[in-house]
Amino acid sequence: MKTLLLSLLFFTFLSPSLLPQEEGIPNSLTPRGEVSQEYRWSVEDLYPSVEAWEKEFNTLPERFSQIVELAKEWTSSPSRMADFLEKRSRLDIVVSRLYCYASFLKDTDLGDTQAQRMIGRLQSETIEQERRLSFMEPDVLRLSSEKVQEYLRVEPRLLPYRRMLDRILKARAHILPTEQEEITRLASLFSDVSERVSSLLNDLEIPPATVTLKDGKNLVLTGAAYQFYRGTPVREDRRLVLESYWKNKKSYENTFAALLDGEMKRRSFFAKTHGYENNLEAALQPNTVDTKVYTHLIEQVHNNLQPLHRYLRLKRELLNLSHLHYYDLYASSVPSASKTYTYEQAKTTLLKAFVPLGKEYTSTVRKAFDERWIDVYPNKGKQTGLYSNGGAYEVHPYILMNFNGTYGLMNGLAHELGHTLHSYLSNTNQPYPTSRYPTFLAEVASTFNENLLLDHLLKTEQDDLFKLNLLDGYLDNLRSTIYRQTLFAEFELFMNDQVEKGETLTAKELNQKYLELTKTFYGEDQGVMVIDPFIENEWGSIPHFFMNYYVYQYSTGLISSLALSESVLTGGEKQRQVYLNFLKSGSVNDPLEALKIAGVDITSPATYTRAFKRYATLLDEMEKLVKKLKVAGKLSPIP
């Protein structure tokens, strides 16, 4: 029942001004029923009605029974294996389609109790049945590798399942006997306890600090208030906000250390019981990613800190500061230059930005607009945020938006269209078993589109102050996505290494390591930034540390897209077609091989050189704009 749901957390680069409320433009108070059909996604492409959904849903028991019947000796011959796998794939397609329809109804009206019941019934129907089908991996493992290869030679219908079968066979050394595997599965019942407790503490149970701002306003420092006020233009206030927030959390640092210690030991238990050398291997090997990719990322980012330090020095100059402190990091360094777009203007802008990808790509984007793949505006009860869901094979992907006219949400639409086109081109060019691209590649196409949008606007916009805003926001996004996430990746590796050495994580040790890494990344010894010691326990509020070596993929994805977009923008038809073929390849190849075919070797220093060269080029552009605006008297230091 897995669907490809890729959500976006991004920075809104400009002031969050809303579109003027034109007649017919919905907002967050508009009832769903009053939203014009042209702005609502076409869920009828999945099922024409709830009744049609019910009819399909009612076929599930019979479908499961057919699967169970085919499961008898399903590995005894090539044809029986193919029959079983094809029937199983068809079941997965139906379940995903059912889930997408119900979840789309729910996400556009969170008060829709009928949709909630539909999701609940679907989950109840599938969970037990999926448990009954858990014999697949053990049955494959009872075959020899030679036997599986023989089956693949004589039965063409099995070829789309080659990678799945190979993955199971490669994991043979890490799959326990059935009884032991069942015990480790039972351990998963409480495997998320540390994460849940950490979330409850951070988001609910720690009493927030209260501060008095310079203007006399009393502020309760909830998480949302901290996120907003840490970027206030009043320097005294942003120091007060950061210092008070983290000193308040410090009272709980020993608890957070114990929770992370428990999480790392849980991972270590899983890795050791399944025969992995360490937890990094256990986390990356099932996705066919070599552990050297992880360590190479850290090494190469350390070798390329200079562009970040250049950006921070420019920020210090723009803020007119003698010393840049960590509490200055989130303050805007350039004057606001808001610009709003109607939805029609956003569509036109994006279609022009995507021209370097050619007619096939832009015509598909136009289809997404014209055929209502997108739920555009907010409405009462609609889920906030935005995402792309390409989980309904044989039906186009869908995008949930809450468009409000800001550049940030136009950029968000570009991002989600990247996911959507990746899903669409994979789904329409691959059989179901190889249609879903791996998580490691998930953020390549989305950030690629952001790169194209920025390039287009820098070439076409006339307002230099707006262009400066674009560059400042984009470079800060690279800071937070490449550098900050790599810092997190190195810190996570440190925690795992300590536990695997038999150590127990303590707050003192974690504080020291976090400060050490932050000082290194942000260049304290080089005089780039002063790292305020009160942020030493920031690690306790970072949920990614419970995601088991996930964050590094934000960095590798963006570095890959920087290299690929530079190749397409400076190349010709060959480079364009190579990239499009990458989008169409789904999971035919291992993720590292897929990138290599597209022209990016994430294990090579040359890829990082290309990516950071792009960073430096954009920084050159920003520095030129700063000089130009200062000469024109249009840029004064932020007070």
Side-chain angles (χ1 to χ4, degrees):
M1 198 171 71
K2 294 179 180 178
T3 60
L4 186 59
L5 180 59
L6 298 159
S7 62
L8 168 67
L9 297 175
F10 67 95
F11 288 90
T12 301
F13 298 151
L14 308 178
S15 300
S17 54
L18 297 177
L19 279 173
Q21 283 306 303
E22 303 171 28
E23 185 177 352
I25 301 299
N27 58 50
S28 59
L29 298 178
T30 305
R32 178 69 179 174
E34 295 179 14
V35 178
S36 174
Q37 187 181 51
E38 65 181 300
Y39 302 128
R40 297 164 67 161
W41 50 19
S42 53
V43 292
E44 62 272 15
D45 293 347
L46 291 163
Y47 295 101
S49 64
V50 171
E51 290 73 25
W53 184 95
E54 291 283 355
K55 184 176 180 180
E56 182 97 279
F57 173 80
N58 289 333
T59 68
L60 289 183
E62 176 60 25
R63 291 179 184 274
F64 277 113
S65 296
Q66 292 173 5
I67 292 286
V68 171
E69 183 62 29
L70 284 172
K72 297 173 182 176
E73 300 184 348
W74 72 283
T75 60
S76 62
S77 71
S79 61
R80 293 186 71 134
M81 180 179 278
D83 289 343
F84 173 82
L85 290 175
E86 287 182 340
K87 185 70 74 171
R88 177 66 195 268
S89 290
R90 173 49 51 186
L91 174 64
D92 287 346
I93 291 169
V94 170
V95 169
S96 294
R97 190 164 176 162
L98 287 165
Y99 182 78
C100 285
Y101 182 82
S103 66
F104 292 165
L105 293 182
K106 185 263 297 179
D107 288 348
T108 49
D109 184 358
L110 296 175
D112 186 340
T113 55
Q114 181 184 45
Q116 294 170 22
R117 286 194 299 271
M118 289 163 70
I119 293 172
R121 289 165 58 209
L122 183 59
Q123 291 173 336
S124 297
E125 181 67 35
T126 56
I127 287 175
E128 175 59 23
Q129 300 291 359
E130 289 291 332
R131 189 192 66 79
R132 292 172 60 194
L133 299 176
S134 61
F135 55 79
M136 285 183 59
E137 287 190 357
D139 282 359
V140 173
L141 290 172
R142 291 189 187 97
L143 300 174
S144 65
S145 297
E146 292 74 19
K147 177 65 71 174
V148 172
Q149 296 306 317
E150 178 189 336
Y151 281 14
L152 288 166
R153 282 195 300 272
V154 302
E155 177 53 83
R157 291 185 297 152
L158 287 176
L159 292 179
Y161 299 94
R162 177 189 292 277
R163 288 199 70 240
M164 181 200 77
L165 294 169
D166 285 347
R167 178 185 58 78
I168 294 172
L169 293 172
K170 286 177 182 177
R172 187 190 299 273
H174 306 293
I175 296 177
L176 303 174
T178 303
E179 296 80 7
Q180 295 177 34
E181 198 67 63
E182 184 63 27
I183 293 172
T184 61
R185 284 199 184 99
L186 288 172
S188 67
L189 292 172
F190 49 84
S191 64
D192 65 342
V193 170
S194 292
E195 180 181 9
R196 286 191 290 116
V197 172
S198 178
S199 177
L200 286 170
L201 283 170
N202 273 311
D203 301 333
L204 183 65
E205 294 188 344
I206 294 180
T210 301
V211 297
T212 302
L213 301 179
K214 188 177 180 180
D215 63 2
K217 177 181 179 180
N218 290 322
L219 176 67
V220 178
L221 271 180
T222 61
Y226 167 75
Q227 293 279 336
F228 183 82
Y229 282 96
R230 68 182 179 178
T232 176
V234 182
R235 197 179 194 212
E236 295 173 42
D237 286 346
R238 59 180 181 257
R239 178 190 171 95
L240 176 66
V241 165
L242 261 78
E243 185 170 12
S244 301
Y245 188 80
W246 293 115
K247 283 187 174 180
N248 184 57
K249 291 288 183 83
K250 188 170 179 64
S251 301
Y252 300 83
E253 64 180 9
N254 291 316
T255 303
F256 285 119
L259 292 171
L260 283 169
D261 183 65
E263 168 65 13
M264 301 307 144
K265 286 175 176 172
R266 179 194 68 80
R267 299 181 191 179
S268 182
F269 164 77
F270 176 86
K272 288 178 179 178
T273 56
H274 287 82
Y276 289 100
E277 183 178 340
N278 53 48
N279 182 57
L280 183 62
E281 182 185 61
L284 270 60
Q285 191 182 86
N287 297 316
T288 62
V289 176
D290 194 300
T291 57
K292 292 178 182 177
V293 171
Y294 196 98
T295 53
H296 186 70
L297 165 71
I298 294 170
E299 176 188 346
Q300 289 301 314
V301 171
H302 273 281
N303 291 341
N304 288 279
L305 291 175
Q306 197 270 340
L308 172 64
H309 294 171
R310 268 185 68 196
Y311 171 68
L312 293 173
R313 288 190 176 101
L314 180 59
K315 186 179 185 78
R316 181 180 65 197
E317 175 191 335
L318 289 166
L319 288 170
N320 196 30
L321 300 173
S322 58
H323 294 89
L324 188 71
H325 280 253
Y326 193 83
Y327 58 78
D328 297 313
L329 191 58
Y330 299 100
S332 175
S333 54
V334 298
S336 175
S338 298
K339 181 172 183 176
T340 59
Y341 299 81
T342 65
Y343 184 56
E344 290 302 318
Q345 289 170 333
K347 291 195 296 185
T348 300
T349 301
L350 293 177
L351 284 167
K352 290 179 179 178
F354 299 155
V355 163
L357 288 176
K359 187 175 180 181
E360 179 184 6
Y361 194 92
T362 55
S363 64
T364 307
V365 172
R366 195 180 299 278
K367 182 185 292 188
F369 291 143
D370 295 345
E371 297 181 5
R372 297 170 37 234
W373 298 6
I374 306 167
D375 204 82
V376 180
Y377 291 110
N379 61 251
K380 186 177 181 180
K382 183 176 177 179
Q383 178 174 309
T384 58
L386 58 167
Y387 65 68
S388 171
N389 187 318
Y393 188 76
E394 299 176 337
V395 182
H396 58 79
Y398 288 82
I399 295 175
L400 181 136
M401 285 289 299
N402 280 278
F403 190 76
N404 67 0
T406 60
Y407 168 76
L409 281 180
M410 181 172 73
N411 185 68
L413 180 54
H415 181 109
E416 299 307 337
L417 282 166
H419 287 311
T420 293
L421 269 288
H422 197 176
S423 296
Y424 178 80
L425 292 173
S426 292
N427 288 348
T428 54
N429 287 276
Q430 295 296 328
Y432 178 73
T434 56
S435 63
R436 293 184 177 178
Y437 49 85
T439 303
F440 185 82
L441 302 178
E443 294 303 325
V444 175
S446 55
T447 53
F448 185 106
N449 277 9
E450 292 185 55
N451 299 338
L452 291 187
L453 177 59
L454 177 70
D455 183 78
H456 170 71
L457 292 176
L458 290 177
K459 290 175 179 176
T460 58
E461 280 290 342
Q462 301 301 311
D463 185 340
D464 286 338
L465 191 57
F466 180 65
K467 288 163 71 173
L468 184 63
N469 267 263
L470 293 179
L471 284 166
D472 183 50
Y474 185 81
L475 289 171
D476 191 64
N477 187 43
L478 294 185
R479 173 198 66 78
S480 64
T481 305
I482 294 177
Y483 291 106
R484 184 169 165 82
Q485 299 301 325
T486 302
L487 187 160
F488 290 168
E490 186 169 359
F491 187 76
E492 185 175 359
L493 183 62
F494 165 79
M495 289 191 289
N496 271 284
D497 285 349
Q498 290 300 103
V499 166
E500 287 172 348
K501 290 175 186 176
E503 301 289 338
T504 295
L505 299 179
T506 66
K508 180 180 179 181
E509 170 185 50
L510 296 177
N511 287 346
Q512 289 174 345
K513 186 63 178 180
Y514 193 80
L515 270 183
E516 173 195 321
L517 288 175
T518 307
K519 289 177 179 180
T520 299
F521 273 74
Y522 289 99
E524 183 171 81
D525 289 347
Q526 292 77 36
V528 178
M529 176 182 278
V530 178
I531 304 303
D532 306 289
F534 54 73
I535 63 99
E536 64 181 355
N537 58 305
E538 189 177 33
W539 50 266
S541 295
I542 298 169
H544 300 78
F545 293 145
F546 294 96
M547 297 173 69
N548 199 8
Y549 287 124
Y550 185 87
V551 294
Y552 83 101
Q553 296 170 118
Y554 292 121
S555 301
T556 55
L558 185 47
I559 286 167
S560 299
S561 77
L562 282 169
L564 285 169
S565 59
E566 181 195 37
S567 177
V568 170
L569 287 168
T570 59
E573 178 59 30
K574 178 181 177 181
Q575 287 74 19
R576 173 196 299 169
Q577 197 56 53
V578 165
Y579 178 67
L580 291 178
N581 289 341
F582 162 76
L583 296 183
K584 296 173 182 178
S585 65
S587 59
V588 168
N589 303 299
D590 288 342
L592 300 187
E593 184 63 24
L595 283 176
K596 282 183 182 180
I597 294 171
V600 171
D601 182 355
I602 200 65
T603 65
S604 168
T607 294
Y608 290 86
T609 299
R610 288 167 64 190
F612 288 110
K613 181 181 178 182
R614 176 63 176 163
Y615 192 112
T617 299
L618 293 172
L619 190 51
D620 291 341
E621 186 92 9
M622 185 175 175
E623 289 171 342
K624 289 176 185 177
L625 278 173
V626 168
K627 290 179 182 178
K628 181 179 178 181
L629 287 164
K630 281 186 174 180
V631 169
K634 296 180 179 179
L635 187 63
S636 301
I638 300 291

